[in-house]
């Protein structure tokens, strides 16, 4: 059968399963690292067991690294866009955390 590993933490945060961390982050801003060098910061409105998520007030950052064939230099381009509401498919999610304080 299936076994579930319970991760218990002290205190009243009630994180017994990994998805409990998302439950505690509902209506809070979270940071999501996606495949394809995409990062999302937004307010978590909903999620399911597949890590599909609805995010609001999203800032998406896409990082593209290009190589200059003449100078062999790495050119890092970061593109940002704001999206009012975004459906995030869970299979592209690498990491979810409270937002990283970068400014």
């Amino acid at each position: 059968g299936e076994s579930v590993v319970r991760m218990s933490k002290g205190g009243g945060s009630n994180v017994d399963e990994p998805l409990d961390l998302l439950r505690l982050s509902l209506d809070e801003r979270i940071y999501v690292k996606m495949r394809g060098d995409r990062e999302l910061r937004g307010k978590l409105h909903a999620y399911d067991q597949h890590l599909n998520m609805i995010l609001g007030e999203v800032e998406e950052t896409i990082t593209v690294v290009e190589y200059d064939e003449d100078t062999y230099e790495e050119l890092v381009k970061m593109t940002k866009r704001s999206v009012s509401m975004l459906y995030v498919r869970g299979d592209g999610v690498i990491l979810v955390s409270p937002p990283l304080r970068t400014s």
Side-chain angles (χ1 to χ4, degrees), residues 6-72:
R6 301 248 176 225
M7 292 185 273
S8 295
K9 280 186 119 66
S13 59
N14 289 335
V15 177
D16 295 323
E17 299 177 27
L19 284 175
D20 288 344
L21 192 61
L22 280 180
R23 180 176 51 80
L24 293 170
S25 299
L26 272 172
D27 293 321
E28 301 286 336
R29 291 191 66 77
I30 60 169
Y31 167 81
V32 183
K33 185 171 174 60
M34 304 287 296
R35 294 183 208 214
D37 293 318
R38 289 172 183 257
E39 297 176 358
L40 306 171
R41 286 175 180 81
K43 185 186 272 193
L44 178 64
H45 288 292
Y47 69 92
D48 66 13
Q49 72 272 23
H50 304 293
L51 281 186
N52 296 320
M53 289 178 268
I54 303 290
L55 296 179
E57 302 155 40
V58 185
E59 182 186 78
E60 178 184 41
T61 306
I62 304 168
T63 305
V64 178
V65 178
E66 296 176 355
Y67 296 96
D68 187 315
E69 294 178 8
D70 299 328
T71 63
Y72 299 104

Side-chain angles (χ1 to χ4, degrees), residues 53-99:
M53 289 178 268
I54 303 290
L55 296 179
E57 302 155 40
V58 185
E59 182 186 78
E60 178 184 41
T61 306
I62 304 168
T63 305
V64 178
V65 178
E66 296 176 355
Y67 296 96
D68 187 315
E69 294 178 8
D70 299 328
T71 63
Y72 299 104
E73 279 185 285
E74 270 189 14
L75 302 170
V76 179
K77 290 183 184 171
M78 294 179 79
T79 308
K80 291 192 179 208
R81 71 174 181 150
S82 293
V83 186
S84 60
M85 194 69 74
L86 197 64
Y87 175 91
V88 179
R89 220 176 103 119
D91 65 352
V93 172
I94 296 173
L95 177 150
V96 178
S97 85

